[in-house]
Amino acid sequence: MKTWLITGCSSGIGAGIAKAVLASGDQAVVTARNKDKVKDIVDAYPETALAVSLDVTDKESIINAVKEANEKFGTIDVLVNNAGYGYRSAVEEGEDEEIQKLFQTNLFGPINVIKAVLPGMRAQKSGAILNVTSIAAARSAVGSGYYASSKAALELLTDGLRKECEPLGIKVMVVQPGAFRTRFYDEESLKGTKAAIGDYEATVGKSRPGNFENKHQQAGDPNKAGEIIVKVVNSDEYPQILTLGKAAVTAVKTTLEAKIAELDKYADLSASADYDE
C-alpha cells in the first residue's frame, strides 16, 4: 500500500487523482488551501484518507503538511505536484506582482514541496514524484506566455530531477494534460492582467478572463486522468512525460515535428558556428 500526497485536490485533475488513488486501495493525503473543500473525498475513505490544508506558496504550510502526512501514515511514497493556475496577459502587459505569484504557485511551490518530501524518499530509497504541467509547456499561445513559461520551467526542472533521483531509487515523471473539463477556465479561477494595452486586443483580448465562457465541454475527463496516473505509477516503467488527451498528443507531436523540421532546415548554418577543423 502506497501513501500519496497530492496538492490542489479541491477540483479537477487533483480531485480525480485523489479519488482514483483511494479507490485503488492506496492511502492519500488530500490537500487544498482550505481542507474543507476536499471533505467529500476524505469522508468516503475515513481510514485511508487524510485532509490537510496546504498552501504551496507558504513554506511553513508545506512543512506542516508533510509532518501531518508522516504522523498519520508514516511515509510518503508518491508526491503529485498538481496545484497551479493560469494567467492571461501579453508579455508587455504582465504585472510584476501577479507574475511573481504565478511562478510562486506553479514553479517555486512545487520545488519547495519536493525539497520537503525528498529526504524521506532518499531514506527509504524509493518513491515517485509527479509534476503536473500542461501542453502549454510544449507550445505557448497568445496571451499565455507567462503561464506556459512557468510550466515549461517545471518540465525542465523535472528532467534534471529525474536524472538526479534515478540512482537513488526514486522515479520522477511529468504529467502533461491538455484541455480537461475543470474549473481552470472559469472566470474566478483564471487570472488576467489589469494593465491591458489596446494594441493587443485583436490577439490577446479574446483570451482574457471574462471575454469567453467556459462551457465545460473539454474532452478531457479528470477522473480518467486520475485512473491513468494510478495505473502508470503502479507499473514497472514510467514515461518521462505522460501527455494526457487525444488532442494534446496531436498538438505536442505537431509542435515537435515542426521544431525538428526547422532544426534540419538551418542545420548547416548552425554547424558553421564551430571552429574550422
Side-chain angles (χ1 to χ4, degrees):
M1 182 184 294
K2 297 183 180 70
T3 298
W4 297 55
L5 191 158
I6 309 156
T7 72
C9 296
S10 61
S11 65
I13 291 176
I17 297 169
K19 288 185 283 187
V21 166
L22 292 164
S24 76
D26 279 349
Q27 301 170 150
V29 183
V30 185
T31 79
R33 290 194 179 203
N34 179 355
K35 67 180 181 181
D36 291 342
K37 292 186 176 181
V38 298
K39 187 176 184 297
D40 59 329
I41 299 174
V42 173
D43 284 351
Y45 298 91
E47 299 300 319
T48 55
L50 174 67
V52 175
S53 293
L54 172 58
D55 178 353
V56 299
T57 68
D58 183 336
K59 285 188 178 181
E60 186 175 349
S61 177
I62 293 169
I63 291 168
N64 289 337
V66 171
K67 181 181 178 182
E68 285 188 54
N70 286 323
E71 286 176 349
K72 173 70 173 179
F73 296 122
T75 183
I76 297 171
D77 303 297
V78 184
L79 166 64
V80 183
N81 274 311
N82 171 72
Y85 69 91
Y87 175 73
R88 293 289 172 83
S89 168
V91 172
E92 185 182 356
E93 298 170 334
E95 304 151 297
D96 290 350
E97 185 176 349
E98 295 304 318
I99 295 164
Q100 289 168 8
K101 287 179 182 177
L102 180 76
F103 274 78
Q104 193 62 46
T105 301
N106 290 4
L107 176 63
F108 298 112
I111 289 171
N112 287 328
V113 180
I114 289 167
K115 286 183 173 182
V117 168
L118 263 178
M121 290 185 175
R122 286 191 290 103
Q124 65 197 28
K125 293 181 171 53
S126 67
I129 297 172
L130 283 61
N131 290 329
V132 180
T133 63
S134 165
I135 59 166
R139 54 105 183 93
S140 187
V142 170
S144 292
Y146 288 112
Y147 172 72
S149 59
S150 71
K151 291 299 189 177
L154 183 59
E155 285 203 358
L156 286 175
L157 179 114
T158 306
D159 189 41
L161 181 68
R162 178 180 55 80
K163 294 165 185 172
E164 294 163 1
C165 288
E166 189 174 13
L168 307 178
I170 301 165
K171 296 180 178 180
V172 180
M173 179 178 75
V174 165
V175 177
Q176 188 186 69
F180 274 72
R181 205 167 296 180
T182 71
R183 296 206 304 258
F184 179 88
Y185 297 102
D186 289 358
E187 192 171 346
E188 66 270 18
S189 301
L190 183 62
K191 309 300 181 183
T193 183
K194 294 180 177 63
I197 297 171
D199 284 347
Y200 296 111
E201 278 308 304
T203 51
V204 179
K206 59 187 176 182
S207 71
R208 299 191 197 283
N211 287 1
F212 65 94
E213 180 185 358
N214 181 14
K215 296 182 179 180
H216 296 276
Q217 295 299 309
Q218 295 86 358
D221 182 338
N223 292 327
K224 286 185 178 180
E227 292 165 3
I228 290 167
I229 288 165
V230 170
K231 181 178 180 180
V232 170
V233 168
N234 288 328
S235 68
D236 293 330
E237 186 177 354
Y238 290 16
Q240 293 180 25
I241 299 177
L242 176 64
T243 304
L244 294 177
K246 187 186 297 183
V249 170
T250 299
V252 173
K253 186 175 181 180
T254 55
T255 299
L256 293 174
E257 287 172 345
K259 287 183 177 181
I260 291 170
E262 182 177 76
L263 191 66
D264 288 340
K265 179 179 179 180
Y266 292 99
D268 290 341
L269 180 63
S270 299
S272 69
D274 293 347
Y275 283 106
D276 295 332
E277 293 182 358

